[in-house]
Amino acid sequence: RSDILHAVDVAEDIGIAYGYNNIPETLPRTTTTGRPTRLNGFSDLLRDEVARAGYVEVLTHGLCRADEQFDKLRRSASEKAGAVVLSNPASEEFEIVRTSLLVGALKTLQCAKAQSIKEGLKLFEVSDVVKRDETADVGATNIRHLVATYTGATAGFEVIHGLLDRVMAVSAIAPDAAYASNSIKGYAAKTETATYTIEPVDDPTFFPGRCARVLLSRPGQPPRKPVGTFGVVHPEVLKNFEITYPTSTLELDVEALADASSCPPCGC
């Protein structure tokens, strides 16, 4: 049966067959207090901090067209293999599950032409993307991401770069010594905590020479794990989404930040 996805589905069918009214009511012997998981608690704190930085939160649809996710972003055809495709979509607008939050952010900007960009238009979203994973029970995995965009009279690369540093600061992830030495003399990162740095990268979605990826290092683990990308969006991508002003974006893997963060759990 295609509707059996978990053990609780079997228990539900047994309850229906036996009759819920026939099951005796009993009080549990223990009491528990619910609280958010660390990832959800961390995500809520992150939303609060990004909003404090002047960004407006948006909530976009989890499904999109395949050409929006890949062709319009100038992604390679080989990346399409990692997307979850709907076998019987209700509309061509909902062909695949998004693998990046950037599509939703750019489509929001496309529909926000009436908004003033005099002081810069800042948007962000913290939500899940889905990628195929043959090792998972259902063949796919949800991954929590953060995306932020800045649109204005100028690209605002320094604005989105500043947001990256702020996110890392509130996540208690320090810059490594080489990265911090560009602005702080005599800085030395703690060896027992996670650190991050950035390096230039060529990405077809972004303007050449104006893109970098974020690398995370954790003590005792292989260094320099990519956890995000930021840069100035390529003019061709902006044209594909009918955006008339230069835009910079940042997208990060929130789950990687939550795992590496040295912040105390404190309910999250």
Side-chain angles (χ1 to χ4, degrees), residues 17 23 31-32 39 56 69 93 102 105 111 125 129 132 154-155 163 165 178 189 196 223 237 243 248 255 257:
I23 301 175
T31 59
T32 58
L39 177 59
V56 178
Q69 183 69 74
E93 295 292 325
L102 182 56
C111 299
E125 180 177 7
V129 301
R132 296 185 63 179
T154 61
L163 178 64
D165 290 337
Y196 77 99
V237 175
I243 300 172
S248 292
E255 295 188 20
L257 302 186

Side-chain angles (χ1 to χ4, degrees), residues 23-53:
I23 301 175
E25 295 182 4
T26 57
L27 292 175
R29 296 182 180 180
T30 60
T31 59
T32 58
T33 302
R35 67 178 184 181
T37 63
R38 177 172 176 81
L39 177 59
N40 287 338
F42 185 88
S43 299
D44 288 341
L45 294 174
L46 189 59
R47 289 186 181 98
D48 185 60
E49 289 294 342
V50 177
R52 289 173 186 268

Side-chain angles (χ1 to χ4, degrees), residues 60-92:
T60 60
H61 206 292
L63 304 177
C64 63
R65 296 207 320 254
D67 67 323
E68 292 175 337
Q69 183 69 74
F70 301 105
D71 298 338
K72 288 189 175 183
L73 291 181
R74 306 177 75 236
R75 313 303 304 183
S76 63
S78 60
E79 296 185 39
K80 295 181 180 181
V84 176
V85 182
L86 275 65
S87 60
N88 186 26
S91 166
E92 65 176 8

Side-chain angles (χ1 to χ4, degrees), residues 166-201:
R166 177 58 183 167
V167 167
M168 292 301 190
V170 299
S171 301
I173 300 175
D176 71 6
Y179 176 49
S181 64
N182 294 326
S183 55
I184 306 175
K185 293 184 178 180
Y187 173 83
K190 296 181 180 180
T191 57
E192 66 274 10
T193 61
T195 60
Y196 77 99
T197 188
I198 63 173
E199 69 176 13
V201 66

